[in-house]
Amino acid sequence: MAYEGEPIGVRSKEGVALRAWDSAALEDPDTAAADLAHAVLFGRAQAALEAVAAGGVGLTVDHARALHFANEMAELRHYGPLIAVVDGLPALAPGVRQLIDGLPGRGLWDGQPAWQL
């Protein structure tokens, strides 16, 4: 129990290196896929990522909110964002599509809608 004036620690994000999805998938594909699935499910971001994969067509405020929460979960697990900007358009970050394609084969997407990328 913390009492007034008792130091309880400091939490800092400084110095935390965020891993890219493509390099994380090469190093440990099972863990990267599980972390991706968790981030997408946490943010309820499947439809948003599908819209990004389609070039950003039909992105909504709800999609932006879902991506925000999915990216927050990814950051908590020390990964970079799920999306990138390529030639001025939103795109899936490198490695994300490949990890998504492997989710069903790893049993990480059971009971969820099929991806439409």
Side-chain angles (χ1 to χ4, degrees):
M1 184 167 167
Y3 296 98
E4 186 173 273
E6 179 182 337
I8 57 173
V10 177
R11 193 173 144 205
S12 173
K13 286 187 179 180
E14 290 183 36
V16 174
L18 299 178
R19 296 176 288 179
W21 289 101
D22 55 350
S23 61
L26 290 174
E27 293 167 15
D28 186 354
D30 291 331
T31 300
D35 289 342
L36 175 70
H38 186 250
V40 173
L41 289 170
F42 176 79
R44 297 184 176 142
Q46 180 177 353
L49 290 172
E50 290 170 343
V52 168
V57 176
L59 278 173
T60 66
V61 172
D62 287 337
H63 288 142
R65 185 176 298 113
L67 288 170
H68 167 77
F69 287 114
N71 282 323
E72 286 289 319
M73 181 55 68
E75 185 178 339
L76 285 173
R77 293 173 181 255
H78 305 288
Y79 291 94
L82 296 165
I83 60 171
V85 177
V86 177
D87 296 327
L89 296 172
L92 297 177
V96 170
R97 181 184 295 268
Q98 292 77 12
L99 287 168
I100 288 171
D101 289 344
L103 292 178
R106 288 185 166 89
L108 296 170
W109 210 248
D110 294 347
Q112 301 300 321
W115 285 89
Q116 303 294 318
L117 297 179

